[in-house]
Amino acid sequence: MAFEFIKTDIEGLYEVLPKVFGDQRGFFLESYSKRDFEKAGLQAEFVQDNMSSSSKGVLRGLHFQKRHPQGKLVSVVSGKVYDVAVDLRSGSLTFGKHYGVVLDADRHNAFYIPAGFAHGFCVMTDTAVFTYKCTDFYHPEDEGGLMWNDPAIGIDWDKYLDGTQPLLSGKDGKHPVFDPAGRYFDQNAVWIGE
């Protein structure tokens, strides 16, 4: 297998480490293999690849799509980000909990996030180029979000921003806070909210 799949504290989330083959000329790695992911029990049909570039301190999130939830495989091809997923699967033992991974282009690691989670990241280096594979297409009318600094979720962004004031979009500064009694997704990532 060309990958190591590291389970996290939240069911379904994995840090993914590819095998890297390198010499004085450079390196080669597989960034995704459907065969290997399926052998690890990760059934995902990716339909869209995205790439973004952001400067230090940019914070994007926490985002999700409601009726078109997206599973994601995220990584960086340059720079470093702190990447976070929040479990929004009602009935999950970790409902409302988050898990974060530092994605580092030098480590070539990735983060596998199934559908049913909110997602966000902040940029730790001067710039970062972020890539992600998605299991559904982008539907702007279907967007949902949670407030990035909601104390009920408790993400320690400051630790990774190193004193930099986060740079947010206007939209990301206006998301609602997490509702612990709220309805988001069921265990199969089907939207059950309003």
Side-chain angles (χ1 to χ4, degrees):
M1 199 175 301
F3 302 89
E4 179 184 358
F5 296 91
I6 302 169
K7 287 185 176 183
T8 70
D9 296 339
I10 296 180
E11 183 68 32
L13 295 179
Y14 289 83
E15 183 176 5
V16 182
L17 298 173
K19 287 185 180 172
V20 181
F21 304 92
D23 58 27
Q24 71 277 8
R25 300 169 300 157
F27 70 88
F28 171 84
L29 61 84
E30 290 182 22
S31 58
Y32 171 72
S33 166
K34 181 175 181 175
R35 178 188 59 223
D36 287 357
F37 273 64
E38 287 181 351
K39 280 183 187 174
L42 305 180
Q43 306 288 331
E45 188 67 39
F46 294 113
V47 298
Q48 181 174 317
D49 285 6
N50 302 318
M51 180 181 289
S52 68
S53 177
S54 302
S55 57
K56 185 170 184 166
V58 167
L59 194 154
R60 299 182 189 270
L62 299 161
H63 303 148
F64 57 90
Q65 290 191 156
K66 299 173 183 175
R67 289 168 184 81
H68 298 277
Q70 294 177 312
K72 297 176 181 176
L73 179 64
V74 297
S75 62
V76 292
V77 294
S78 71
K80 191 186 296 188
V81 305
Y82 179 56
D83 197 85
V84 178
V86 180
D87 190 352
L88 295 182
R89 300 168 300 178
S90 297
S92 165
L93 295 175
T94 52
F95 178 64
K97 304 295 183 199
H98 74 277
Y99 190 88
V101 173
V102 174
L103 298 175
D104 185 340
D106 291 336
R107 288 187 64 222
H108 309 288
N109 61 329
F111 193 23
Y112 176 78
I113 305 166
F117 286 76
H119 171 253
F121 67 90
C122 69
V123 178
M124 301 168 62
T125 48
D126 287 342
T127 59
V129 177
F130 186 85
T131 65
Y132 48 113
K133 303 178 86 57
C134 299
T135 59
D136 203 338
F137 300 102
Y138 173 61
H139 294 270
E141 75 286 354
D142 195 39
E143 290 180 336
L146 296 175
M147 183 54 68
W148 66 278
N149 62 350
D150 183 350
I153 298 172
I155 301 169
D156 187 3
W157 297 108
D158 290 341
K159 177 179 177 182
Y160 300 94
L161 287 169
D162 195 29
T164 303
Q165 185 67 27
L167 302 170
L168 302 165
S169 70
K171 179 173 59 177
D172 283 350
K174 297 177 183 173
H175 290 307
V177 296
F178 173 72
D179 179 359
R183 294 164 51 86
Y184 296 94
F185 298 99
D186 69 11
Q187 289 289 50
N188 297 312
V190 174
W191 181 251
I192 55 173
E194 308 267 323

